[in-house]
Amino acid sequence: MKNIKGYVSFILHAHLPYIHHPESKDYLEEEWLFEAISECYIPLLLNFQKLEEEKVDFRLTMTMTPPLLNMLDNKLLQERYIEYLEKHIELCEKETERTTYDERCNKLSYYYLDRYKNDLHIYKDVYKCNLITGFKHFQDIGVLEIITCGATHGYFPILYVNEKTVRAQIAIGVNCYKKYFGKQPRGIWLPECGYVPEADKYLREFGIEYVITETHGVLYADPTPIYGNYAPIVSSDNIVAFARDIESSQQVWSSINGYPGDYNYREFYRDIGYDAPYDYIKPYIATNGVRVNTGIKYHRITGKDCEKDYYDVQWAKDSAERQAGHFLNCRTAQIENLSSYMHVPPIVVCPYDAELYGHWWYEGPYWLYILFKKIYYDECNFKLITPSEYIDNFPNIQVSTPCRSSWGANGYSEVWLNQTNDYAHRHLHKAGDRMCELAWLYPNEGDTLRRQALNQCARELVLAQSSDWLFIITNGTMVEYAHKAIKDHIGRFTKLYYQIKKDKIDAEYLYDIAQKDDIFPEIDYMIYY
Amino acid sequence: MPNKKIDDEEKVLKKEKTWVEKKVLAKNVQNVDETLTNKKDESTKIKETSKQNDFKDILKKELPKIKEKKALPKNKVNKELPKTKAKEKKLLPKIKEKNILSNELSEEQKDLKLLDRIKEFFKRNPDKTSSLDENIEQSDYLPEYYDLPYRYNETVVKILAQTPKRLFIYWDIADSDIEKYRKAFGEDFFEKTYPVLLVHNEELNYTYEIPINDFANSWYIDIKDSKNKYTVQLGRKFKEYPKFVKETQQIIQEENINLQNDYIEIVSSNTLEVPNDHVLFENLNQYVLYRNVKTKEENKKDITTLVNGIAKVYNVYDLYKIIYKDEMNNVMFDLNNPGSAGNPSSSMTSSRFL
């Protein structure tokens, strides 16, 4: 019988911005979703399934953000993902012939062929193109708690200049969750862990009980939390805040000595999209001929600044198993130390981007599987828990107001507010004010066309508010796309705004953008009233 | 050994029991879902269906003339030509007429001639993989291009906190207000004044001025005190102390211009509380307030009763030095800024796709 002295809570934040372009097949950004499904979501589901079959009891919390849910549910994107897989299978079949020059490489090409064929079977035949039901199953049997997020990942510390826009982000997020999971979400992943106390009353209004913050979101709370970030705190509006643990985050995430840097793991930057001969790979890269990642990678990290050796699946699994043991031992020691001082069991909160597991860290989902098995079977002084369970079991919580914070670089708003992207905020604020004005001018609109136009305005506004565009601009990745996304959504919103006010709605234009930006079919603009 | 065997059997039984319970739970959830579905009445079903499903269908009913828009699946092409043929028909008589009258062709006519030549080429070269009829890719969607407006022509100043010690401020003055000031103080008002930001700390009750310039519409300013409330005023200051004639003073009153000596307040910002940037050791008192989040009952606990193994807790800092001792050894960890230490999610080594 284990002597449980504390708890560990894994929280995976699965999010992608809403990328949907029925008008064109050339948007590379659409492949983010396809890569995430193949490398992250399907592997996670398969590993959860293995744990279920092996009767390993585990607990995991996972955000599935509204844009991700809408994309997973989108028929066009489902079809395009199947085409993506079919193309990859075709490429893998060619690879099995091209790589006969090396036995190890050839073996890997068959590995990828099997993997993509399996993905296609799992996606089409097992889940019938609906991965949401897959995750819902694990929630229904009690091992997974799915939580919600802001509608389009709008960053609250900047948006709350107009509080109604924050309220709308929460309302739409909760409604979207209820649509797909048939119940009230208990927790929310604040976009970018961006906490402001002003949002608490709206979280409470829509039934949210807890949020996840960055470490200093709790550590810098007022008054100081007696147990640091090892116990949650509760605000005056009764919202419980759990904060990220530093040590476990660094072990997984550190670019210097984190787990994903193990030399046996797959090297992300050696992809046949860049390595294979150009004429051969051209049909499988970007349509404009730019080389991009295909997901087929034959090398392992091997070391720093050295020639890369071929990847070995078993060696990688061995490393994952070793690191799972290391993580388990570290948490055991950590909780042993903490529990000796605390009057409540400590909770070590481990939040990560879900896409870390599988996309950046290819072996991540397997590592999680092994770790959960070890926690269940091996000697350790803790159990896995969800934040909801912790609240239910230990409801006496210190009252303290969390600190305004985020999990962005340097802990505040620099990533989403700096000289590369600060131009956007006056437009987002203005659009937010105008949306409230429209709701006030046309309450409970009876005319069908005008009501649809008002709802479409709400869609364009929330799409413009996505923190992803600002993040991308700061990081300098797909900057042009992000700039264009802000312009398009603000532009469409503004054009419709004037058309509504002048009572000259262009029905054809409205229909056109409703096809392109069709997120949240059930949205009601009256949330801005 | 027998005891170990019994223990092992017990573990297996417990594991089985847990998973039987989970299956029952899942079944119950399914039953509840089905019951809820059956209980919904027709009107609710219709309402929900019409709401969710396709607001696009609803729009389509409003637009009988809008043709069906199909998304382009990857690697497929739209086989329909544009309305060239119809255009052609309409224009043909005119083209003939034009040719009779003049050798010069319009752009449209040139395009049609080019189209004919291309079609002719592919008729003569059927082995070419591309054919005009088959390879024209045309989206049914409207082309769009947007640019963000330079300004919204409104008088506004807004502040945002970039960090606990840096604010971002943006502003604008509406044309109507510009006219108002020119009417009151003369056409050279903006030449004889300069713009300023007055930064006011509400907690500590101090104000200071930051001169800016008329070429900017946003600014970053550093502030001294974190976790305080700030407001910012956008104003203008006269370069030389002004003397106003009676008519000017009358206009100032009529237009509600807020003039204080040589300073005019244009507009005030939102009130913003900037984030905290350190552990508030001094804010934790002898008694710590607890709440039962289920029952909402509150109670206070003596701080000395909350910590085991330490005889007297004079301040939480001593406790933190113990519970964060491993982190303290890490050069990257800074108790004053733990947030930047461990999360590369938003750095250049981000774990995100974006």
Side-chain angles (χ1 to χ4, degrees):
Chain A
M1 192 73 178
K2 285 187 187 180
N3 181 14
I4 301 300
K5 294 185 178 178
Y7 299 93
V8 170
S9 184
F10 269 84
I11 304 170
L12 299 188
H13 176 56
H15 167 67
L16 288 167
Y18 194 72
I19 311 278
H20 176 251
H21 293 283
E23 75 279 14
S24 169
K25 53 190 175 66
D26 293 337
Y27 283 93
L28 261 183
E29 293 78 9
E30 213 167 61
E31 304 225 332
W32 291 336
L33 174 68
F34 306 150
E35 286 170 13
I37 294 174
S38 279
E39 293 174 345
C40 177
Y41 308 142
I42 288 180
L44 282 175
L45 283 171
L46 290 176
N47 280 290
F48 296 165
Q49 203 178 322
K50 274 199 289 186
L51 288 167
E52 183 188 355
E53 284 162 6
E54 293 169 26
K55 297 188 173 28
V56 173
D57 197 14
F58 67 98
R59 292 290 182 277
L60 179 70
T61 308
M62 197 167 157
T63 320
M64 294 188 78
T65 63
L68 177 62
L69 289 170
N70 275 260
M71 286 196 290
L72 289 174
D73 193 32
N74 184 285
K75 291 283 174 279
L76 171 67
L77 293 173
Q78 288 170 357
E79 283 166 15
R80 286 186 177 175
Y81 176 60
I82 289 173
E83 286 167 18
Y84 168 92
L85 283 176
E86 285 168 349
K87 216 167 176 192
H88 273 68
I89 290 168
E90 182 187 290
L91 174 59
C92 287
E93 280 164 353
K94 283 188 184 174
E95 282 292 288
T96 56
E97 290 166 17
R98 185 180 77 90
T99 57
T100 48
Y101 57 83
D102 186 290
E103 191 189 327
R104 289 170 75 192
C105 191
N106 192 244
K107 192 174 161 191
L108 280 170
S109 67
Y110 280 98
Y111 163 80
Y112 282 112
L113 179 61
D114 286 344
R115 177 128 180 187
Y116 282 110
K117 279 184 173 175
N118 193 45
D119 282 354
L120 186 60
H121 163 65
I122 296 287
Y123 187 74
K124 251 177 105 171
D125 306 326
V126 175
Y127 288 113
K128 310 278 185 252
C129 304
N130 186 350
L131 293 184
I132 301 171
T133 52
F135 288 103
K136 185 177 181 297
H137 163 73
F138 293 106
Q139 174 155 262
D140 292 343
I141 64 170
V143 294
L144 177 68
E145 179 181 356
I146 301 174
I147 59 177
T148 189
C149 187
T152 51
H153 222 256
Y155 183 60
F156 293 0
I158 288 176
L159 293 179
Y160 89 103
V161 165
N162 182 332
E163 285 191 17
K164 282 185 184 168
T165 61
V166 168
R167 181 176 179 269
Q169 281 272 336
I170 295 167
I172 296 169
V174 169
N175 285 340
C176 180
Y177 180 99
K178 284 179 178 174
K179 171 184 164 184
Y180 287 107
F181 300 108
K183 60 184 225 175
Q184 166 71 32
R186 291 186 68 179
I188 190 169
W189 179 286
L190 298 169
E192 316 294 357
C193 295
Y195 177 84
V196 288
E198 290 81 359
D200 278 4
K201 53 187 175 291
Y202 305 121
L203 294 172
R204 196 188 46 192
E205 180 188 348
F206 291 100
I208 297 294
E209 295 174 46
Y210 70 85
V211 300
I212 314 297
T213 72
E214 176 54 281
T215 311
H216 59 296
V218 165
L219 209 56
Y220 294 173
D222 186 5
T224 297
I226 183 79
Y227 298 130
N229 59 287
Y230 295 111
I233 56 175
V234 62
S235 70
S236 53
D237 277 306
N238 219 44
I239 301 295
V240 180
F242 291 86
R244 188 174 68 86
D245 172 58
I246 300 163
E247 186 188 322
S248 55
S249 286
Q250 285 192 330
Q251 280 166 345
V252 173
W253 244 341
S254 169
S255 58
I256 299 164
N257 45 22
Y259 293 148
D262 187 282
Y263 292 164
N264 286 327
Y265 287 155
R266 196 178 76 160
E267 171 60 65
F268 183 87
Y269 294 103
R270 288 297 301 274
D271 188 291
I272 65 165
Y274 294 91
D275 289 349
Y278 184 71
D279 287 335
Y280 168 83
I281 202 68
K282 197 176 169 198
Y284 306 98
I285 50 176
T287 49
N288 60 1
V290 170
R291 286 182 178 269
V292 294
N293 284 318
T294 61
I296 300 167
K297 304 173 201 280
Y298 294 135
H299 296 85
R300 62 185 182 96
I301 295 172
T302 315
K304 287 182 179 154
D305 305 321
C306 65
E307 199 169 316
K308 302 291 176 184
D309 186 23
Y310 283 121
Y311 182 65
D312 187 303
V313 175
Q314 189 54 52
W315 294 357
K317 283 187 170 177
D318 293 342
S319 285
E321 286 164 22
R322 187 174 34 80
Q323 287 176 344
H326 178 263
F327 189 89
L328 182 93
N329 292 340
C330 288
R331 299 289 76 69
T332 303
Q334 186 181 25
I335 285 169
E336 191 67 40
N337 178 46
L338 291 168
S339 60
S340 62
Y341 302 106
M342 293 170 64
H343 273 217
V344 287
I347 178 169
V348 176
V349 179
C350 308
Y352 308 98
D353 280 328
E355 292 76 26
L356 169 69
Y357 291 88
H359 177 66
W360 296 102
W361 182 14
Y362 186 66
E363 298 76 9
Y366 181 73
W367 178 85
L368 273 179
Y369 160 73
I370 292 294
L371 176 65
F372 289 179
K373 275 182 80 165
K374 289 181 89 64
I375 291 170
Y376 185 70
Y377 284 116
D378 290 7
E379 280 300 315
C380 65
N381 59 5
F382 67 89
K383 281 171 79 171
L384 292 171
I385 202 168
T386 65
S388 292
E389 282 178 321
Y390 190 89
I391 292 171
D392 290 341
N393 290 326
F394 309 103
N396 278 305
I397 299 174
Q398 181 184 350
V399 179
S400 180
T401 302
C403 167
R404 296 165 191 275
S405 54
S406 80
W407 79 339
N410 300 322
Y412 300 100
S413 297
E414 275 174 88
V415 172
W416 303 280
L417 173 57
N418 57 68
Q419 285 168 341
T420 65
N421 57 27
D422 56 23
Y423 74 90
H425 298 301
R426 71 177 69 220
H427 302 287
L428 295 176
H429 292 155
K430 186 66 185 171
D433 293 343
R434 281 177 164 173
M435 189 67 237
C436 296
E437 179 199 342
L438 287 176
W440 185 77
L441 285 174
Y442 304 98
N444 300 311
E445 179 58 54
D447 178 77
T448 306
L449 191 64
R450 193 178 295 129
R451 188 175 66 253
Q452 293 302 332
L454 289 162
N455 285 341
Q456 193 61 32
C457 277
R459 279 186 201 100
E460 299 301 337
L461 174 63
V462 293
L463 285 169
Q465 289 174 335
S466 171
S467 68
D468 305 286
W469 314 136
L470 306 167
F471 176 91
I472 289 169
I473 293 167
T474 298
N475 265 15
T477 49
M478 310 295 245
V479 172
E480 285 312 310
Y481 183 87
H483 281 309
K484 186 174 179 302
I486 295 174
K487 284 185 195 176
D488 283 353
H489 295 306
I490 295 287
R492 287 168 186 162
F493 172 88
T494 307
K495 190 167 172 177
L496 269 180
Y497 165 81
Y498 281 117
Q499 287 184 3
I500 291 168
K501 286 195 76 174
K502 291 175 184 171
D503 200 19
K504 285 184 179 173
I505 299 169
D506 179 345
E508 186 178 355
Y509 172 74
L510 174 59
Y511 186 71
D512 183 76
I513 62 172
Q515 300 273 47
K516 292 168 183 168
D517 294 334
D518 62 352
I519 196 173
F520 307 130
E522 66 286 347
I523 202 170
D524 183 355
Y525 73 95
M526 284 299 288
I527 46 169
Y528 291 96
Y529 183 74
Chain B
M1 284 300 288
N3 284 340
K4 185 177 184 315
K5 195 177 172 187
I6 292 165
D7 285 344
D8 287 345
E9 276 178 21
E10 201 180 319
K11 274 186 192 169
V12 168
L13 281 170
K14 271 193 179 163
K15 198 167 73 165
E16 287 290 335
K17 185 175 170 235
T18 308
W19 283 92
V20 165
E21 282 170 350
K22 286 195 190 313
K23 282 187 183 162
V24 168
L25 181 62
K27 191 86 176 86
N28 286 344
V29 168
Q30 196 182 346
N31 287 342
V32 168
D33 284 347
E34 281 167 5
T35 313
L36 283 175
T37 308
N38 292 338
K39 274 189 179 168
K40 280 177 191 162
D41 62 15
E42 281 301 313
S43 61
T44 314
K45 268 190 193 164
I46 290 165
K47 200 175 172 186
E48 281 183 357
T49 309
S50 70
K51 242 185 167 180
Q52 288 183 17
N53 249 353
D54 272 36
F55 65 94
K56 289 174 264 182
D57 286 340
I58 297 170
L59 266 176
K60 231 168 54 172
K61 283 177 193 163
E62 298 284 311
L63 316 160
K65 290 179 188 172
I66 299 298
K67 61 183 174 180
E68 185 73 29
K69 286 188 195 294
K70 284 181 188 163
L72 279 177
K74 281 189 183 295
N75 300 324
K76 286 188 184 163
V77 297
N78 186 334
K79 292 192 178 178
E80 281 184 16
L81 266 178
K83 299 167 196 170
T84 320
K85 287 189 177 167
K87 238 198 251 179
E88 219 175 291
K89 259 191 181 168
K90 278 187 193 171
L91 284 169
L92 269 173
K94 287 187 187 171
I95 290 172
K96 280 184 183 167
E97 202 181 300
K98 188 85 181 175
N99 279 339
I100 292 167
L101 295 172
S102 154
N103 285 331
E104 283 182 8
L105 296 175
S106 69
E107 283 305 312
E108 213 164 8
Q109 289 159 354
K110 282 180 192 168
D111 284 343
L112 286 171
K113 270 198 128 19
L114 179 61
L115 196 65
D116 282 342
R117 286 214 305 270
I118 293 171
K119 275 191 197 172
E120 204 45 53
F121 172 78
F122 284 113
K123 265 188 194 155
R124 283 185 269 114
N125 299 280
D127 58 315
K128 296 288 178 193
T129 51
S130 61
S131 135
L132 191 66
D133 283 346
E134 286 170 8
N135 253 20
I136 288 180
E137 290 176 17
Q138 181 177 336
S139 173
D140 284 339
Y141 297 88
L142 298 175
E144 296 175 270
Y145 177 79
Y146 301 100
D147 229 330
L148 295 171
Y150 176 67
R151 57 192 290 251
Y152 288 97
N153 197 12
E154 57 175 2
T155 301
V156 66
V157 59
K158 289 256 163 72
I159 52 175
L160 298 169
Q162 186 196 50
T163 69
K165 293 280 178 70
R166 181 168 284 186
L167 300 182
F168 171 73
I169 307 167
Y170 71 81
W171 64 84
D172 191 15
I173 306 177
D175 290 345
S176 55
D177 282 338
I178 291 173
E179 269 317 298
K180 179 174 86 177
Y181 295 118
R182 284 190 170 136
K183 182 181 160 192
F185 302 105
E187 285 300 314
D188 61 345
F189 170 71
F190 289 93
E191 282 75 41
K192 61 190 182 196
T193 59
Y194 60 92
V196 294
L197 296 172
L198 284 193
V199 181
H200 178 65
N201 181 315
E202 292 194 0
E203 257 96 343
L204 301 176
N205 197 24
Y206 62 77
T207 305
Y208 59 96
E209 183 183 298
I210 296 179
I212 50 176
N213 66 56
D214 283 316
F215 297 105
N217 62 3
S218 64
W219 213 265
Y220 286 89
I221 63 168
D222 291 325
I223 51 177
K224 276 191 331 187
D225 299 291
S226 58
K227 205 184 181 307
N228 277 195
K229 286 186 183 168
Y230 288 84
T231 52
V232 168
Q233 262 184 30
L234 172 69
R236 294 199 75 89
K237 250 191 159 174
F238 284 89
K239 292 174 184 171
E240 286 173 9
Y241 203 88
K243 287 176 189 170
F244 300 118
V245 298
K246 200 176 169 187
E247 289 79 8
T248 305
Q249 284 169 0
Q250 205 173 338
I251 297 172
I252 290 168
Q253 262 191 331
E254 283 167 8
E255 298 283 357
N256 285 322
I257 294 173
N258 188 354
L259 171 69
Q260 297 150 35
N261 300 319
D262 62 342
Y263 170 76
I264 297 171
E265 179 196 335
I266 307 282
V267 65
S268 255
S269 76
N270 49 309
T271 302
L272 178 81
E273 183 179 303
V274 299
N276 179 32
D277 62 353
H278 59 283
V279 181
L280 298 168
F281 291 116
E282 67 279 11
N283 282 20
L284 192 61
N285 300 318
Q286 174 78 19
Y287 293 96
V288 181
L289 182 64
Y290 273 76
R291 182 191 301 145
N292 184 312
V293 296
K294 302 286 185 186
T295 64
K296 309 286 169 57
E297 282 173 28
E298 291 187 350
N299 57 86
K300 286 185 180 171
K301 298 184 184 182
D302 190 324
I303 196 172
T304 56
T305 65
L306 288 172
V307 182
N308 295 328
I310 300 178
K312 289 177 185 174
V313 172
Y314 291 108
N315 58 59
V316 175
Y317 184 73
D318 291 331
L319 175 61
Y320 275 18
K321 277 201 297 189
I322 296 169
I323 64 178
Y324 288 112
K325 69 175 182 341
D326 290 332
E327 283 78 14
M328 297 286 203
N329 293 331
N330 184 342
V331 294
M332 284 178 70
F333 179 76
D334 177 1
L335 194 61
N336 291 319
N337 193 1
S340 65
N343 175 22
S345 173
S346 294
S347 72
M348 293 305 289
T349 55
S350 170
S351 67
R352 297 161 143 197
F353 273 89
L354 315 180

